[in-house]
Amino acid sequence: MHPFSKFQSVRKVKMSNNHTTADVILIGAGIMSATLGSLLKELAPDLKITIFEQLEKPGEESSNEWNNAGTGHSALCELNYTSEKPDGSIDISKAITINEQFQLSKQFWSYLVNKNLISNPQDFIMPLPHMSLVHGKDNVTYLKKRFEALSNNTLFQGMEFSDDPEKLKEWIPLIMKDRILDQPIAATKVDSGTDVNFGSLTRKLLDHLKSQNVDIKYNHTVDDIERTEDGSWEVKVRNFERGTLEHHTAKFVFIGAGGGALPLLQKTGIPESKHIGGFPVSGQFLVCNNPEIVAQHHAKVYGKAAVGAPPMSVPHLDTRYIENKKTILFGPFAGFSPKFLKTGSNMDLLGSVKPNNAFTMLAAGAKNLSLTKYLVQQVMLSKEQRIEALREFIPDAKSEDWDSVTAGQRVQVIKDTDDGGKGTLQFGTELVSASDGSVAALLGASPGASTAVHVMLDIFERCFPEHLKDWEPKIKEMIPSYGKSLAENSELTQEIQTATAQTLGLNENLQTMV
């Protein structure tokens, strides 16, 4: 049975240069489409897949290495994934979920490397300690409770805690140098963390897909998506190179266009696209231009968001490996732009307001006045004010050692929920799919790219449940923990983490790379 036989009655279309059919159309040449395409080609090699990207190169928006923090999100250092309950205990359920999802990604990447489908994993993933750093008595108490709760779980073995300034000087010398210790300070450290260059990984995956006869069309933007009489989808695409409008038909469409996914999802007209809005948030990072300073720091160090600040505001000082060079980034500093993509239009936000989501959007605006105020304050920050924020991490930071870089555009999901009522702002990643499984779209932001493989497995379960039985053996070959809980299986966890670390080169000491 053909993997997409449930859509067998594809309308007969005359094949030409501007009107073609495919089994699968992927919109956006970022990490999400690259991951879905790579998985599908392993599961069903004969599938005809077409990818449309409006820019001239892959991974130039949210997947680009300069447009995200590069954190392999596994909840090792992100404090917003471990909330404190009213009784004072720590809820680690979200941390476990996100960690397990990242383990899926590492397993799939390891499979691709072992099969020689992609090479040189050091180009896209590097070993790097993940740390959490807090100040003040209450925060230190919280961090210690968090450490105790997490370190008992097999996924977080190896986590260390210290409130000893001398130990912290060993871990984070740049942060502790010249620091006035007028309040308690503590940190946790996990050496098994990573820095991920999702731009490089995206390019590798798409090079692999191109070698598998996947048709990747750059400088092509999708204008419209319409259902055909037989249940397929006709995608109207503008070819910038030729200046022509093309028509492409497919049985399944995935919208993985980052911030641009919401307007395209709305064009499908599926009921699931109703009552959903998007709130765009831009970002700025400070990047260190002084190699002597860069050499003194080797970790991703996450702090705690200020009281009342949104999760997107969590400050972090990150070692990054970009273009085979070690650097340090600090941020993020949030900002506002009505664009849904860095290369988008100032009319994106207004254009996304429809009759079916107008009240949802208005309700969100009324609920999030504090967020609006926060964004306005962030936009108004001068470089020197941003350097002052950096000095909370690096006390003697000098303005001339740091430059500003604009990060990627994120569109937070706004939706009506059963528990939150109308216009609830979501800060995570959201998969929206049609009831018949013929179209799916990925919305939202962090943890995003780190959980790409998990998202695609979710798509398989939602959109192609009748094929899972046939696909399961291959899925388990690619992702050995598929269908299993790593948090409840320490032996399997150790086996998988040892194997992926070996394949991806995460056991090597690369601290001297500059």
Side-chain angles (χ1 to χ4, degrees), residues 214-491:
V214 170
D215 192 7
I216 308 174
K217 296 179 179 293
Y218 298 107
N219 292 308
H220 283 64
T221 187
V222 174
D223 282 357
D224 203 2
I225 308 173
E226 294 182 348
R227 178 91 74 166
T228 63
E229 291 182 359
D230 55 40
S232 299
W233 292 96
E234 183 177 82
V235 180
K236 296 180 181 179
V237 183
R238 192 167 301 279
N239 182 335
F240 286 127
E241 292 181 342
R242 295 185 178 181
T244 57
L245 186 65
E246 304 174 352
H247 298 261
H248 301 267
T249 305
K251 307 155 194 172
F252 173 74
V253 174
F254 172 65
I255 306 171
L262 176 60
L264 292 173
L265 174 63
Q266 291 174 328
K267 290 178 185 296
T268 67
I270 62 173
E272 294 80 3
S273 70
K274 311 297 184 183
H275 307 290
I276 296 178
F279 186 81
V281 178
S282 62
Q284 292 273 335
F285 279 89
L286 292 172
V287 57
C288 186
N289 58 39
N290 187 332
E292 292 182 4
I293 294 173
V294 172
Q296 298 175 51
H297 185 69
H298 189 79
K300 287 185 183 290
V301 182
Y302 274 56
K304 198 171 185 182
V307 176
M312 69 184 76
S313 67
V314 174
H316 43 97
L317 184 71
D318 296 352
T319 294
R320 295 293 312 276
Y321 293 96
I322 298 177
E323 298 169 359
N324 294 317
K325 183 180 179 181
K326 182 179 176 181
T327 188
I328 305 176
L329 270 69
F330 174 75
F333 299 97
F336 175 76
S337 165
K339 296 181 179 181
F340 278 5
L341 295 165
K342 284 181 75 172
T343 56
S345 164
N346 286 322
M347 296 300 294
D348 286 344
L349 177 58
L350 184 61
S352 72
V353 180
K354 309 293 182 184
N356 66 70
N357 72 356
F359 286 111
T360 300
M361 297 284 282
L362 287 171
K367 284 182 178 181
N368 292 281
L369 293 176
S370 60
L371 174 60
T372 303
K373 179 181 178 181
Y374 167 78
L375 292 176
V376 170
Q377 291 172 338
Q378 289 278 291
V379 169
M380 299 300 290
L381 290 177
S382 64
K383 180 183 178 182
E384 189 52 42
Q385 287 173 315
R386 290 174 178 164
I387 293 294
E388 278 299 318
L390 170 62
R391 288 183 181 128
E392 293 185 17
F393 277 74
I394 306 177
D396 63 350
K398 296 178 176 59
S399 181
E400 60 266 26
D401 293 330
W402 298 81
D403 300 314
S404 294
V405 59
T406 301
Q409 199 76 355
R410 301 287 184 269
V411 179
Q412 311 292 343
V413 178
I414 298 172
K415 60 184 287 191
D416 299 337
T417 61
D418 293 336
D419 57 347
K422 209 161 194 64
T424 301
L425 189 63
Q426 311 284 107
F427 288 102
T429 304
E430 184 110 3
L431 181 65
V432 179
S433 58
S435 59
D436 68 350
S438 62
V439 65
L442 189 68
L443 309 176
S446 185
S450 299
T451 63
V453 172
H454 162 75
V455 171
M456 301 317 146
L457 294 174
D458 193 0
I459 285 178
F460 294 157
E461 291 172 3
R462 292 192 194 191
C463 300
F464 312 108
E466 69 273 34
H467 300 298
L468 280 180
K469 185 175 180 181
D470 293 333
W471 287 354
E472 188 171 320
K474 185 64 178 181
I475 292 176
K476 287 184 175 179
E477 178 190 346
M478 296 186 291
I479 306 161
S481 73
Y482 175 69
K484 301 176 182 178
S485 170
L486 289 176
E488 298 173 2
N489 193 328
S490 59
E491 186 175 335

Side-chain angles (χ1 to χ4, degrees), residues 84-204:
E84 189 169 10
K85 298 178 183 179
D87 65 0
S89 63
I90 306 298
D91 183 355
I92 65 170
S93 57
K94 187 173 184 179
I96 289 172
T97 297
I98 289 174
N99 190 297
E100 288 195 324
Q101 291 174 359
F102 184 58
Q103 301 304 327
L104 299 177
S105 293
K106 288 201 295 182
Q107 289 171 69
F108 181 54
W109 302 339
S110 296
Y111 166 84
L112 294 172
V113 172
N114 283 328
K115 292 291 184 178
N116 295 316
L117 301 178
I118 62 175
S119 59
N120 300 324
Q122 70 274 9
D123 291 343
F124 68 86
I125 187 167
M126 297 285 277
L128 190 70
H130 281 197
M131 298 182 60
S132 302
L133 178 68
V134 299
H135 307 83
K137 181 180 178 181
D138 290 345
N139 286 333
V140 170
T141 299
Y142 158 78
L143 188 65
K144 190 167 186 178
K145 288 192 295 184
R146 177 184 184 271
F147 161 73
E148 291 168 349
L150 288 176
S151 57
N152 287 328
N153 188 284
T154 185
L155 289 167
F156 298 89
Q157 285 185 355
M159 178 177 282
E160 300 176 71
F161 170 90
S162 181
D163 55 7
D164 178 4
E166 293 304 313
K167 174 58 72 173
L168 297 185
K169 287 178 182 178
E170 296 176 16
W171 289 357
I172 41 177
L174 183 64
I175 291 175
M176 295 301 293
K177 182 182 178 183
D178 298 330
R179 178 169 296 278
I180 298 174
L181 297 174
D182 55 355
Q183 59 181 328
I185 184 171
T188 56
K189 180 166 77 80
V190 184
D191 288 330
S192 59
T194 57
D195 176 62
V196 183
N197 184 326
F198 287 106
S200 176
L201 177 59
T202 299
R203 294 187 287 271
K204 284 178 180 288

